[in-house]
Amino acid sequence: MRNIILTMLATLVVAGCGGSDGNNTVVSDAGGGADSVPISVDISKPPTEVPPSDDDLQACVAIESVKLTDIAGNVVEWTTRSMSNPEEMSSQQCIPPDSSIPVDSDGYPKFIVIDLYDITGVDLVHLISEQLVPVGEYVNMSLTILQGEYGDFLGTPYSYVGSLVDKQKMEIVDELTFDGLNINIDVPETFTMAFDFRSMIQMIEGAYHLKSEGLRLVKNALSGGIFGDINTGSCPSNDDAYVYLYESDSEQYGDLGSEYTPVMTAKVTEDNQYTMSYVPEGDYDVVLVCDGLKDAPDQIDLDIDLDGDAAKYTDQHVESGEQKYLPL
């Protein structure tokens, strides 16, 4: 069997793999044979859109492993043993001062913990570096997120939203996964796992939940970007404004809780700009939503203006490698 290197970036990768049954092969931190290609996984900083907006807010997720599942249900899994500098990549502000990440029998940390609000440098964490995966057809990719506790006197969870003092456990909805991958891996590729922060981390009945909604996987060779300025007269105020992206053949423009959710959203910044990265090559409608802050992903048919007088573009084609400028 031939193996190949696949490079993957993840805009805040957060997922878990669909479980494997007794008939599935699980390859963990294994090298490949002649029919294999290498794979890499990065994490890219997402927009900071977990409500409430707070400069001191932390969204810490404890990542145990990365998994890739083929069409037959065989699973390739990479733990911290395959991660790039796992001892150095964790966000220290997520770890209690008198505690540490537990290690396995060989001294590897059992997980890394990333503050999704504070990925620094070039906004990338190089999670998995050039690990071999067998050539074949793959149907999902995922991360395993842990929910244990450090055992410090404040009972700090591994995965939480808040701060070390004022924190709330992040409930992980079983094993989050990106399904419907359906790609044939036979040459080196680069992918980005990305998600819409507002859709993935939701406040439901007083608790934060990490869900798979908003998670997407983009083939970098076939992706581009969209950015632009927002005219100060386009909305009564740009403070609550977002830009929503829909596929051009979408039946209607829906809110985050509807059947017709946007492909992605981007908050309008204080300098009246927006940016959408890792947009798959294709045709899109771009809609300015002046009251997007009201759009909660756990509610359906909110009274927000998606078809009104706000600025929009229709049938905009995004080429691979293109950064398309669309002022609104």
Side-chain angles (χ1 to χ4, degrees), residues 151-221:
D152 65 313
F153 73 99
L154 290 176
T156 303
Y158 294 153
S159 300
Y160 66 87
V161 175
S163 68
L164 284 174
V165 176
D166 184 14
K167 55 189 173 293
Q168 189 161 0
K169 180 180 177 181
M170 190 187 299
E171 299 292 339
I172 314 299
V173 181
D174 197 23
E175 285 198 323
L176 302 175
T177 185
F178 179 89
D179 290 311
L181 186 57
N182 295 327
I183 59 169
N184 187 53
I185 300 175
D186 57 4
V187 296
E189 295 281 7
T190 300
F191 287 85
T192 294
M193 235 177 163
F195 68 73
D196 190 309
F197 224 22
R198 291 197 299 160
S199 297
M200 289 204 71
I201 302 182
Q202 302 176 12
M203 173 67 80
I204 302 175
E205 297 181 351
Y208 285 106
H209 289 250
L210 185 63
K211 304 178 71 176
S212 59
E213 285 84 346
L215 178 66
R216 55 196 177 83
L217 189 67
V218 180
K219 192 173 183 178
N220 281 26

Side-chain angles (χ1 to χ4, degrees), residues 47-70:
T48 55
E49 297 175 5
V50 175
S53 179
D54 188 333
D55 290 341
D56 297 326
L57 187 66
Q58 295 173 184
C60 298
V61 293
I63 301 171
E64 181 184 39
S65 66
V66 181
K67 297 178 183 177
L68 185 64
T69 306
D70 71 12

Side-chain angles (χ1 to χ4, degrees), residues 88-145:
E88 300 177 6
M89 65 172 52
S90 287
S91 301
Q92 293 304 307
Q93 65 269 27
C94 293
I95 306 170
D98 297 326
S99 300
S100 60
I101 295 176
V103 299
D104 63 19
S105 58
D106 293 322
Y108 287 93
K110 292 186 176 180
F111 60 88
I112 63 166
V113 58
I114 300 295
D115 181 359
L116 305 183
Y117 270 169
D118 192 36
I119 299 175
T120 56
V122 294
D123 292 341
L124 285 176
V125 172
H126 299 295
L127 190 60
I128 301 295
S129 179
E130 296 194 348
Q131 297 297 312
L132 294 177
V133 59
V135 167
E137 187 174 351
Y138 289 84
V139 294
N140 82 38
M141 186 181 301
S142 60
L143 299 182
T144 301
I145 309 298

